[in-house]
Amino acid sequence: MRELALHILDLVQNSIEAGASRVLLVIIEDIGGDTLTIRVRDNGRGMDDATRRRVLDPFVTTRKTRRVGLGLPLIDMSTRQCGGYLRIDSQVGEGTEVEAVYRHSHLDRPPLGDLVATVKTLIVANPGLDFVYRHTVGGAVFEVATRELTSILGDMPLTHPDVIAWLDEYLAANEANLYGGARHENG
Ligand SMILES: Nc1ncnc2c1ncn2[C@@H]1O[C@H](COP(=O)(O)OP(=O)(O)OP(=O)(O)O)[C@@H](O)[C@H]1O
Ligand SMILES: [Mg+2]
């Protein structure tokens, strides 16, 4: 069982490989509707219809180092094992939106995993990327954006050890806060 955070890294990696300068990552935990949605939208080069239809086949990849691409087929399989689906919308030259939906309470649904480390890594490793992360649990929302952070930090680089340590605590506190009133997914 793969933690969903690893799938999230794969999706954002795809966006970066597609030349995106903007990436929006949204996680929506709709407890009432019993869905967990992961959505990644980018302004990368996009895919034509034929590619979009074929990418769920594990032998399709545009990468040169290895002939199979596994990211999307694995996510597709895991959503369908959990009463959900994977949807890909893409426009050549415009960008791509990938949405993975799981039944929140499904027994086989992988845990979200270490979102704090994942989001921290995505922000710190891609300081030039206009990255926005938004996580909703019921009515509670936490949003953080690279742009907002860099404007607060001024001359202090995102990669400064003190900034990374602060970011870690900031993300951890806000993620925990999302579950403050609601029941945590792991009980
Ligand atoms: N956000 C995106 N924008 C444009 N093309 C994409 C995007 N995501 C996926 N693709 C296309 O779909 C193909 C398959 O993606 P997938 O993640 O399944 O495999 P991969 O990235 O090629 O390899 P792997 O993820 O195993 O390293 C990619 O090679 C790329 O051509
Ligand atoms: Mg990939």
Side-chain angles (χ1 to χ4, degrees):
M1 184 170 71
R2 264 186 122 213
E3 292 186 342
L4 300 183
L6 298 173
H7 290 320
I8 290 169
L9 277 178
D10 280 353
L11 291 173
V12 177
Q13 197 56 44
N14 280 348
S15 297
I16 292 167
E17 279 162 15
S21 60
R22 270 202 323 269
V23 175
L24 170 66
L25 163 64
V26 178
I27 300 172
I28 303 165
E29 298 185 60
D30 178 355
I31 312 295
D34 198 19
T35 55
L36 188 157
T37 301
I38 296 167
R39 197 180 294 143
V40 175
R41 186 161 79 214
D42 68 52
N43 66 342
R45 74 176 68 90
M47 287 172 257
D48 60 29
D49 261 3
T51 308
R52 190 181 54 77
R53 274 194 291 271
R54 282 192 345 246
V55 286
L56 301 184
D57 177 337
F59 295 98
V60 174
T61 179
T62 53
R63 63 186 299 152
K64 306 282 189 289
T65 45
R66 144 164 83 74
R67 251 178 307 146
V68 288
L70 281 180
L72 293 169
L74 278 180
I75 301 171
D76 180 47
M77 216 191 311
S78 89
T79 58
R80 282 188 286 110
Q81 281 164 357
C82 302
Y85 60 86
L86 180 76
R87 178 180 60 78
I88 303 171
D89 281 338
S90 194
Q91 294 282 321
V92 174
E94 301 271 320
T96 300
E97 182 175 282
V98 178
E99 183 176 80
V101 179
Y102 295 81
R103 192 143 68 74
H104 198 290
S105 67
H106 199 288
L107 283 176
D108 294 328
R109 179 178 65 76
L112 275 165
D114 196 345
L115 284 179
V116 170
T118 301
V119 171
K120 183 182 66 175
T121 302
L122 287 172
I123 291 173
V124 173
N126 305 288
L129 183 70
D130 183 357
F131 176 69
V132 178
Y133 166 70
R134 187 186 310 136
H135 185 177
T136 303
V137 180
V141 187
F142 168 51
E143 181 172 309
V144 63
T146 299
R147 269 204 186 164
E148 182 194 7
L149 293 174
T150 49
S151 88
I152 294 168
L153 289 169
D155 290 341
M156 190 98 142
L158 271 171
T159 47
H160 190 289
D162 291 348
V163 174
I164 297 173
W166 170 80
L167 187 56
D168 203 47
E169 279 179 34
Y170 179 71
L171 294 172
N174 280 284
E175 281 295 319
N177 211 22
L178 284 175
Y179 299 101
R183 190 178 58 88
H184 190 273
E185 64 163 11
N186 295 320

